[in-house]
Amino acid sequence: KRGRMLFEFTPRDSHGKLDYNQKARIGLEANEVGLLCNQLPHHEVEIVRNSSPQYSNSAGAEGGMFEGTVTNDMPQKVIKFSPSDRAAVNVSLDYVSGIDGNTSDLEAGPMEVPMQTGEFEVFASIMRSSLPILAGWSPLIDIAIQASINEAINGGGYDGPPGEGHFF
């Protein structure tokens, strides 16, 4: 099963405390995470998501239900990764609407997170190491690891038939 990497932006209120009522999330698919790994920190990357109707779990045991419908005038989520000085990256998330797509729907405008070079390297390392899991490859990796362990336990050699416990 393919996964997503979830980004959550939570602004601070006037007292410096996190305001979870104003948080915004966007999930990136494996191919989008791969794009970020390939393009950053040298090229700008912008990913746009159409809004979806609100999801309500008020239907009880039968499961949740959607409230409303998607229309063309609903805002879009836009996450933008912009290169900065010395391999640093600025990340911003906004909801935009309007014909030109430049009208922010957030009270304080886009939420921005500047990442210094070291912070970006940690972020990039997490993205790269998460790609196999997001792409649904983790069962294959688990099999390969187990085959390597079995090979090491058996003294480094494998005497069984080809294809069993070994990848060629």
Side-chain angles (χ1 to χ4, degrees), residues 46-87:
E46 183 175 289
I47 298 170
V48 179
R49 287 275 184 281
N50 289 324
S51 293
S52 60
Q54 293 287 13
Y55 183 77
S56 171
N57 198 14
S58 62
E62 284 79 34
M65 59 185 199
F66 287 103
E67 297 175 354
T69 58
V70 177
T71 63
N72 287 336
D73 61 345
M74 293 182 83
Q76 295 178 314
K77 287 183 189 177
V78 178
I79 188 167
K80 185 186 293 188
F81 298 82
S82 304
S84 187
D85 295 334
R86 293 183 280 157

Short mmCIF file of all heavy atoms in Angstrom, two decimals, residues 46-87:
data_model
loop_
_atom_site.label_atom_id
_atom_site.label_comp_id
_atom_site.label_asym_id
_atom_site.label_seq_id
_atom_site.Cartn_x
_atom_site.Cartn_y
_atom_site.Cartn_z
N GLU A 46 6.70 23.68 -6.47
CA GLU A 46 5.37 24.09 -5.99
C GLU A 46 4.39 22.96 -6.28
O GLU A 46 4.33 22.46 -7.40
CB GLU A 46 4.93 25.36 -6.69
CG GLU A 46 3.60 25.90 -6.20
CD GLU A 46 3.26 27.23 -6.84
OE1 GLU A 46 3.92 28.23 -6.50
OE2 GLU A 46 2.34 27.24 -7.68
N ILE A 47 3.64 22.55 -5.27
CA ILE A 47 2.66 21.48 -5.41
C ILE A 47 1.30 22.03 -5.01
O ILE A 47 1.17 22.64 -3.95
CB ILE A 47 3.05 20.26 -4.56
CG1 ILE A 47 4.41 19.72 -5.04
CG2 ILE A 47 1.97 19.17 -4.63
CD1 ILE A 47 5.03 18.67 -4.16
N VAL A 48 0.30 21.79 -5.86
CA VAL A 48 -1.04 22.34 -5.64
C VAL A 48 -2.02 21.18 -5.42
O VAL A 48 -1.99 20.20 -6.15
CB VAL A 48 -1.50 23.19 -6.85
CG1 VAL A 48 -2.90 23.73 -6.64
CG2 VAL A 48 -0.51 24.32 -7.10
N ARG A 49 -2.87 21.33 -4.43
CA ARG A 49 -3.93 20.36 -4.15
C ARG A 49 -5.27 21.06 -4.22
O ARG A 49 -5.44 22.14 -3.67
CB ARG A 49 -3.81 19.80 -2.74
CG ARG A 49 -2.71 18.86 -2.52
CD ARG A 49 -3.16 17.46 -2.94
NE ARG A 49 -2.13 16.51 -2.64
CZ ARG A 49 -1.05 16.30 -3.36
NH1 ARG A 49 -0.87 16.98 -4.46
NH2 ARG A 49 -0.16 15.42 -3.03
N ASN A 50 -6.22 20.43 -4.89
CA ASN A 50 -7.59 20.94 -4.85
C ASN A 50 -8.19 20.64 -3.49
O ASN A 50 -7.89 19.61 -2.89
CB ASN A 50 -8.44 20.30 -5.94
CG ASN A 50 -8.06 20.79 -7.32
OD1 ASN A 50 -7.69 21.95 -7.49
ND2 ASN A 50 -8.10 19.91 -8.29
N SER A 51 -9.03 21.52 -3.01
CA SER A 51 -9.71 21.30 -1.73
C SER A 51 -10.71 20.18 -1.89
O SER A 51 -11.22 19.90 -2.97
CB SER A 51 -10.43 22.57 -1.28
OG SER A 51 -9.49 23.56 -0.97
N SER A 52 -11.00 19.55 -0.78
CA SER A 52 -12.02 18.51 -0.77
C SER A 52 -13.11 18.90 0.21
O SER A 52 -12.89 19.73 1.09
CB SER A 52 -11.40 17.17 -0.39
OG SER A 52 -10.82 17.25 0.90
N PRO A 53 -14.29 18.32 0.07
CA PRO A 53 -15.35 18.65 1.01
C PRO A 53 -14.97 18.20 2.42
O PRO A 53 -14.14 17.32 2.60
CB PRO A 53 -16.56 17.88 0.48
CG PRO A 53 -16.01 16.84 -0.42
CD PRO A 53 -14.68 17.35 -0.92
N GLN A 54 -15.59 18.81 3.41
CA GLN A 54 -15.34 18.45 4.79
C GLN A 54 -15.81 17.02 5.04
O GLN A 54 -16.82 16.59 4.53
CB GLN A 54 -16.09 19.40 5.74
CG GLN A 54 -15.57 20.80 5.71
CD GLN A 54 -14.22 20.92 6.41
OE1 GLN A 54 -13.56 19.94 6.72
NE2 GLN A 54 -13.82 22.14 6.66
N TYR A 55 -15.07 16.28 5.86
CA TYR A 55 -15.42 14.91 6.19
C TYR A 55 -15.96 14.89 7.59
O TYR A 55 -15.37 15.44 8.51
CB TYR A 55 -14.19 14.01 6.08
CG TYR A 55 -14.49 12.56 6.33
CD1 TYR A 55 -15.08 11.78 5.36
CD2 TYR A 55 -14.18 11.98 7.55
CE1 TYR A 55 -15.35 10.45 5.57
CE2 TYR A 55 -14.44 10.65 7.77
CZ TYR A 55 -15.03 9.89 6.78
OH TYR A 55 -15.30 8.57 7.01
N SER A 56 -17.11 14.28 7.77
CA SER A 56 -17.73 14.21 9.08
C SER A 56 -17.87 12.76 9.50
O SER A 56 -18.23 11.90 8.70
CB SER A 56 -19.11 14.86 9.03
OG SER A 56 -19.79 14.60 10.23
N ASN A 57 -17.59 12.47 10.75
CA ASN A 57 -17.74 11.13 11.26
C ASN A 57 -19.05 11.01 12.05
O ASN A 57 -19.18 10.17 12.92
CB ASN A 57 -16.54 10.75 12.14
CG ASN A 57 -16.43 9.26 12.34
OD1 ASN A 57 -17.07 8.49 11.63
ND2 ASN A 57 -15.62 8.85 13.29
N SER A 58 -20.01 11.83 11.73
CA SER A 58 -21.26 11.87 12.49
C SER A 58 -22.26 10.80 12.08
O SER A 58 -23.32 10.71 12.64
CB SER A 58 -21.91 13.26 12.35
OG SER A 58 -22.21 13.48 11.00
N ALA A 59 -21.91 9.98 11.12
CA ALA A 59 -22.86 8.97 10.64
C ALA A 59 -22.90 7.75 11.55
O ALA A 59 -23.64 6.82 11.29
CB ALA A 59 -22.52 8.55 9.22
N GLY A 60 -22.10 7.74 12.61
CA GLY A 60 -22.15 6.65 13.56
C GLY A 60 -21.43 5.41 13.07
O GLY A 60 -20.41 5.49 12.41
N ALA A 61 -21.95 4.23 13.39
CA ALA A 61 -21.29 2.96 13.10
C ALA A 61 -21.17 2.70 11.60
O ALA A 61 -20.32 1.93 11.18
CB ALA A 61 -22.04 1.81 13.77
N GLU A 62 -22.01 3.31 10.80
CA GLU A 62 -21.93 3.09 9.35
C GLU A 62 -20.73 3.79 8.73
O GLU A 62 -20.44 3.62 7.57
CB GLU A 62 -23.20 3.60 8.64
CG GLU A 62 -24.40 2.67 8.81
CD GLU A 62 -25.07 2.85 10.16
OE1 GLU A 62 -25.09 3.97 10.67
OE2 GLU A 62 -25.54 1.84 10.70
N GLY A 63 -20.04 4.60 9.48
CA GLY A 63 -18.88 5.31 8.95
C GLY A 63 -19.20 6.78 8.75
O GLY A 63 -20.30 7.24 9.00
N GLY A 64 -18.21 7.51 8.28
CA GLY A 64 -18.39 8.94 8.08
C GLY A 64 -19.07 9.24 6.76
O GLY A 64 -19.37 8.36 5.97
N MET A 65 -19.33 10.52 6.55
CA MET A 65 -19.93 10.94 5.28
C MET A 65 -19.38 12.30 4.91
O MET A 65 -18.93 13.06 5.75
CB MET A 65 -21.45 10.98 5.40
CG MET A 65 -21.96 11.91 6.45
SD MET A 65 -23.74 11.75 6.57
CE MET A 65 -24.12 13.27 7.39
N PHE A 66 -19.40 12.58 3.64
CA PHE A 66 -18.92 13.87 3.17
C PHE A 66 -20.03 14.90 3.26
O PHE A 66 -21.17 14.61 2.97
CB PHE A 66 -18.43 13.76 1.72
CG PHE A 66 -17.14 13.04 1.59
CD1 PHE A 66 -17.08 11.72 1.16
CD2 PHE A 66 -15.95 13.68 1.92
CE1 PHE A 66 -15.89 11.06 1.06
CE2 PHE A 66 -14.74 13.02 1.83
CZ PHE A 66 -14.71 11.72 1.40
N GLU A 67 -19.64 16.10 3.64
CA GLU A 67 -20.58 17.22 3.70
C GLU A 67 -20.17 18.22 2.64
O GLU A 67 -19.06 18.73 2.67
CB GLU A 67 -20.54 17.87 5.08
CG GLU A 67 -20.96 16.95 6.20
CD GLU A 67 -20.77 17.60 7.56
OE1 GLU A 67 -20.23 18.71 7.63
OE2 GLU A 67 -21.16 16.98 8.54
N GLY A 68 -21.03 18.50 1.70
CA GLY A 68 -20.72 19.48 0.67
C GLY A 68 -20.14 18.83 -0.57
O GLY A 68 -19.97 17.62 -0.65
N THR A 69 -19.85 19.65 -1.54
CA THR A 69 -19.29 19.17 -2.79
C THR A 69 -18.12 20.04 -3.20
O THR A 69 -17.99 21.18 -2.76
CB THR A 69 -20.34 19.22 -3.93
OG1 THR A 69 -20.81 20.57 -4.05
CG2 THR A 69 -21.51 18.30 -3.63
N VAL A 70 -17.27 19.51 -4.04
CA VAL A 70 -16.14 20.27 -4.54
C VAL A 70 -16.63 21.15 -5.69
O VAL A 70 -17.30 20.67 -6.60
CB VAL A 70 -15.03 19.32 -5.04
CG1 VAL A 70 -13.88 20.12 -5.64
CG2 VAL A 70 -14.54 18.44 -3.93
N THR A 71 -16.29 22.42 -5.64
CA THR A 71 -16.65 23.34 -6.71
C THR A 71 -15.40 24.06 -7.19
O THR A 71 -14.37 24.04 -6.52
CB THR A 71 -17.69 24.38 -6.23
OG1 THR A 71 -17.08 25.17 -5.20
CG2 THR A 71 -18.95 23.70 -5.72
N ASN A 72 -15.49 24.71 -8.34
CA ASN A 72 -14.33 25.39 -8.90
C ASN A 72 -13.90 26.61 -8.09
O ASN A 72 -12.78 27.07 -8.23
CB ASN A 72 -14.63 25.83 -10.34
CG ASN A 72 -14.65 24.66 -11.28
OD1 ASN A 72 -14.05 23.63 -11.01
ND2 ASN A 72 -15.35 24.80 -12.39
N ASP A 73 -14.80 27.15 -7.25
CA ASP A 73 -14.43 28.34 -6.49
C ASP A 73 -13.86 28.01 -5.12
O ASP A 73 -13.60 28.90 -4.33
CB ASP A 73 -15.62 29.28 -6.37
CG ASP A 73 -16.80 28.66 -5.64
OD1 ASP A 73 -16.81 27.42 -5.47
OD2 ASP A 73 -17.70 29.41 -5.25
N MET A 74 -13.65 26.71 -4.81
CA MET A 74 -13.05 26.33 -3.53
C MET A 74 -11.56 26.62 -3.57
O MET A 74 -10.92 26.52 -4.62
CB MET A 74 -13.31 24.86 -3.24
CG MET A 74 -14.78 24.56 -3.00
SD MET A 74 -15.05 22.83 -2.61
CE MET A 74 -14.67 22.86 -0.88
N PRO A 75 -10.97 26.99 -2.44
CA PRO A 75 -9.54 27.30 -2.42
C PRO A 75 -8.68 26.06 -2.66
O PRO A 75 -9.12 24.93 -2.45
CB PRO A 75 -9.32 27.85 -1.02
CG PRO A 75 -10.42 27.30 -0.20
CD PRO A 75 -11.59 27.13 -1.13
N GLN A 76 -7.48 26.29 -3.13
CA GLN A 76 -6.51 25.22 -3.35
C GLN A 76 -5.40 25.37 -2.32
O GLN A 76 -5.02 26.48 -1.96
CB GLN A 76 -5.91 25.32 -4.74
CG GLN A 76 -6.89 25.11 -5.85
CD GLN A 76 -6.23 25.28 -7.21
OE1 GLN A 76 -5.49 26.22 -7.42
NE2 GLN A 76 -6.50 24.35 -8.11
N LYS A 77 -4.86 24.22 -1.86
CA LYS A 77 -3.68 24.25 -1.00
C LYS A 77 -2.47 24.31 -1.90
O LYS A 77 -2.37 23.56 -2.87
CB LYS A 77 -3.59 22.97 -0.16
CG LYS A 77 -4.57 22.86 0.94
CD LYS A 77 -4.30 21.57 1.71
CE LYS A 77 -5.41 21.29 2.70
NZ LYS A 77 -5.19 20.01 3.39
N VAL A 78 -1.55 25.19 -1.56
CA VAL A 78 -0.31 25.32 -2.32
C VAL A 78 0.86 25.25 -1.34
O VAL A 78 0.95 26.06 -0.43
CB VAL A 78 -0.26 26.65 -3.10
CG1 VAL A 78 1.06 26.78 -3.85
CG2 VAL A 78 -1.44 26.78 -4.04
N ILE A 79 1.71 24.25 -1.54
CA ILE A 79 2.94 24.18 -0.75
C ILE A 79 4.09 24.49 -1.70
O ILE A 79 4.15 23.98 -2.81
CB ILE A 79 3.11 22.81 -0.05
CG1 ILE A 79 4.29 22.85 0.92
CG2 ILE A 79 3.20 21.67 -1.04
CD1 ILE A 79 4.34 21.67 1.88
N LYS A 80 4.96 25.38 -1.25
CA LYS A 80 6.05 25.83 -2.10
C LYS A 80 7.36 25.70 -1.33
O LYS A 80 7.47 26.12 -0.18
CB LYS A 80 5.85 27.29 -2.50
CG LYS A 80 6.88 27.80 -3.50
CD LYS A 80 6.74 29.28 -3.78
CE LYS A 80 5.47 29.59 -4.51
NZ LYS A 80 5.40 30.99 -4.96
N PHE A 81 8.34 25.08 -1.98
CA PHE A 81 9.69 24.94 -1.45
C PHE A 81 10.58 25.83 -2.30
O PHE A 81 10.74 25.60 -3.50
CB PHE A 81 10.15 23.49 -1.54
CG PHE A 81 9.32 22.54 -0.73
CD1 PHE A 81 8.12 22.04 -1.23
CD2 PHE A 81 9.73 22.15 0.54
CE1 PHE A 81 7.35 21.17 -0.48
CE2 PHE A 81 8.96 21.27 1.29
CZ PHE A 81 7.76 20.78 0.78
N SER A 82 11.17 26.87 -1.69
CA SER A 82 11.97 27.85 -2.43
C SER A 82 13.40 27.85 -1.92
O SER A 82 13.63 27.97 -0.71
CB SER A 82 11.39 29.25 -2.26
OG SER A 82 10.05 29.27 -2.66
N PRO A 83 14.38 27.74 -2.83
CA PRO A 83 15.78 27.81 -2.41
C PRO A 83 16.09 29.17 -1.80
O PRO A 83 15.51 30.19 -2.17
CB PRO A 83 16.56 27.64 -3.71
CG PRO A 83 15.60 27.09 -4.69
CD PRO A 83 14.23 27.53 -4.26
N SER A 84 16.99 29.17 -0.84
CA SER A 84 17.42 30.38 -0.18
C SER A 84 18.95 30.40 -0.18
O SER A 84 19.57 29.63 -0.91
CB SER A 84 16.85 30.41 1.25
OG SER A 84 17.11 31.64 1.86
N ASP A 85 19.54 31.22 0.63
CA ASP A 85 21.00 31.34 0.67
C ASP A 85 21.66 30.07 1.21
O ASP A 85 21.14 29.43 2.13
CB ASP A 85 21.41 32.51 1.56
CG ASP A 85 20.97 33.84 0.99
OD1 ASP A 85 20.82 33.92 -0.24
OD2 ASP A 85 20.77 34.78 1.78
N ARG A 86 22.79 29.71 0.64
CA ARG A 86 23.66 28.62 1.10
C ARG A 86 22.92 27.32 1.39
O ARG A 86 22.99 26.77 2.47
CB ARG A 86 24.46 29.06 2.32
CG ARG A 86 25.46 30.14 1.97
CD ARG A 86 26.30 30.53 3.13
NE ARG A 86 25.52 31.44 3.98
CZ ARG A 86 25.74 31.63 5.26
NH1 ARG A 86 26.71 30.99 5.85
NH2 ARG A 86 25.01 32.46 5.94
N ALA A 87 22.15 26.82 0.45
CA ALA A 87 21.45 25.53 0.52
C ALA A 87 20.33 25.51 1.57
O ALA A 87 19.87 24.45 1.95
CB ALA A 87 22.41 24.37 0.73
#
